[in-house]
Amino acid sequence: MSEEDSVSYSDMDSRGFLLIRDFLDQSEVEMLKQDFESAALEVNSNYSVRRLSASAMDRLEPKFRHVNEQVASQSSVKVDCLNDGVYFSTVSEKATLSSPRKGAQAFPWHQDHENYWMWFDVKNYLNFYMPVVKPVVEKSNLTVVPLDRLHERAPEIHDKLLGRGATRVLPSGNKWVVKDDNRGGKVGTLDFDPAEIEETPELRPGDLLLLRGDLIHRTQDSSTRRVAASIRYINSETQVPRASLAKGGLAKMLMMLNARYLFEPVFQCFDNAEGNSVRASEIDLHLKQVRERRLSGQEAQNTSKLAFLSRLTKEKLRG
């Protein structure tokens, strides 16, 4: 029996993640290493990442599709559209919101932000997280808070966080506050350290840690130079509401401004559709067309901050 044969895909419902050892073979790991070295640094100012090439993602797509089919057959999570992929490293190559100086890059407890704002549905959103460079098995992994353990210790917070994103979990005295970076304020408070219920799968190059978009996670440490490919799938049928994209507080506005190269095309897509909601597949196609134009030099890599703030203000006024 292979490693994959023993995987319980229903864990995506009960736990929010699963592990498949040796998902990539050595040639695929080497391919991703080379792809990382040749990849350009993204203009995202929230954190330091490089983007996977379309050819690298296409080469691995049959493997991803097989996993998605198994997940869909054994859980309620449904994804079918290869959206995007980036390389996360524990070394920041530029100053960003999360790393004010070049050097070590680590992310504290959080649910992902940008994918929640862009796609709205993060239960039906999967992150294929695969180490490519991993010097020490025990170091620089991804630490997660399993859904079942969170439900056991804090059922009310668990229920509030299901299907949502854009939160951070921060210490406050002897408690931990779940901050809402979407609307502002807080979701609630934990009376225990999340480390008490965390799990840290020790990953080798080529292992796959599959995560739901609403799972709380953090970087274990940045003491080694680890590089991981993070490839994202969405549900093509998700209806993305226009109003939800612009609404929110100061933290959301700042992070959207820092990643305006992602969000401006989404607003353009809503303009083109002349509707209050658009299917995720339409937004995904538009984003890919924009990336192609940018790669060919037909379109600027980013809009100006002033232009985007003006656009965001108009969107907020739409109500």
Side-chain angles (χ1 to χ4, degrees):
M1 185 172 64
S2 69
E3 174 70 27
E4 189 177 344
D5 291 335
S6 65
V7 173
S8 174
Y9 291 94
S10 62
D11 283 353
M12 296 311 299
D13 277 334
S14 59
R15 314 209 74 208
F17 73 100
L18 57 83
L19 173 63
I20 301 178
R21 296 286 185 192
D22 300 317
F23 179 72
L24 302 179
D25 63 34
Q26 189 58 40
S27 68
E28 292 164 335
V29 171
E30 289 300 323
M31 179 270 292
L32 290 177
K33 282 183 183 179
Q34 294 175 21
D35 189 63
F36 169 76
E37 294 298 337
S38 62
L41 195 61
E42 284 284 82
V43 296
N44 196 319
S45 297
N46 289 319
Y47 39 77
S48 176
V49 292
R50 299 188 191 189
R51 183 175 297 279
L52 272 85
S53 66
S55 60
M57 291 192 291
D58 288 345
R59 176 174 167 180
L60 301 175
E61 199 274 337
K63 285 191 168 184
F64 301 145
R65 186 170 62 248
H66 172 71
V67 170
N68 290 333
E69 290 169 353
Q70 296 302 310
V71 169
S73 68
Q74 298 183 40
S75 79
S76 64
V77 177
K78 308 287 189 271
V79 300
D80 60 357
C81 180
L82 174 57
N83 166 242
D84 198 9
V86 295
Y87 294 103
F88 281 101
S89 173
T90 51
V91 177
S92 179
E93 299 180 73
K94 62 181 181 180
T96 65
L97 182 65
S98 60
S99 302
R101 291 178 296 277
K102 291 173 64 174
Q105 175 172 245
F107 301 96
W109 289 120
H110 68 283
Q111 290 176 303
D112 285 347
H113 288 59
E114 291 163 352
N115 58 33
Y116 178 57
W117 295 328
M118 187 173 297
W119 304 112
F120 194 63
D121 177 8
V122 286
K123 175 197 169 187
N124 296 300
Y125 180 103
L126 291 181
N127 175 2
F128 285 73
Y129 177 91
M130 299 163 292
V132 175
V133 177
K134 191 69 162 43
V136 183
V137 173
E138 300 83 7
K139 295 283 189 179
S140 307
N141 292 290
L142 208 62
T143 299
V144 302
V145 173
L147 294 179
D148 53 351
R149 291 188 177 184
L150 182 62
H151 183 267
E152 182 179 348
R153 289 291 299 274
E156 183 177 349
I157 294 293
H158 166 274
D159 292 349
K160 287 181 178 180
L161 294 182
L162 280 183
R164 69 180 296 165
T167 67
R168 289 174 293 148
V169 187
L170 304 173
S172 177
N174 61 352
K175 297 183 183 295
W176 287 73
V177 174
V178 183
K179 292 186 64 67
D180 183 356
D181 285 338
N182 185 47
R183 296 296 182 91
K186 67 179 183 179
V187 176
T189 303
L190 298 172
D191 59 5
F192 61 91
D193 187 336
E196 295 178 23
I197 58 171
E198 72 182 22
E199 284 192 26
T200 307
E202 295 183 349
L203 304 177
R204 303 182 298 264
D207 288 345
L208 167 63
L209 186 62
L210 188 66
L211 313 168
R212 271 174 45 164
D214 53 359
L215 193 70
I216 297 172
H217 58 285
R218 67 174 175 88
T219 311
Q220 180 190 16
D221 62 74
S222 56
S223 61
T224 69
R225 180 183 178 270
R226 180 265 293 148
V227 176
S230 174
I231 296 175
R232 313 301 179 96
Y233 270 80
I234 61 174
N235 185 313
S236 62
E237 298 297 323
T238 294
Q239 287 290 327
V240 182
R242 182 170 190 159
S244 70
L245 187 59
K247 286 182 179 178
L250 184 62
K252 180 176 181 179
M253 182 180 72
L254 175 59
M255 290 192 70
M256 288 182 69
L257 180 65
N258 285 340
R260 57 194 182 279
Y261 76 107
L262 289 174
F263 290 101
E264 178 63 31
V266 182
F267 287 130
Q268 293 170 355
C269 194
F270 281 115
D271 287 344
N272 295 341
E274 298 181 347
N276 293 321
S277 69
V278 174
R279 285 176 60 194
S281 59
E282 295 179 46
I283 295 175
D284 175 75
L285 176 60
H286 183 69
L287 286 170
K288 288 170 180 170
Q289 292 171 340
V290 168
R291 286 183 199 130
E292 285 298 316
R293 293 197 295 271
R294 288 172 176 171
L295 285 172
S296 64
Q298 300 176 54
E299 187 171 318
Q301 289 292 319
N302 218 345
T303 57
S304 73
K305 289 184 177 181
L306 185 59
F308 184 76
L309 285 174
S310 175
R311 155 74 87 166
L312 194 56
T313 301
K314 291 177 181 177
E315 289 292 330
K316 287 179 177 290
L317 292 174
R318 283 176 62 95

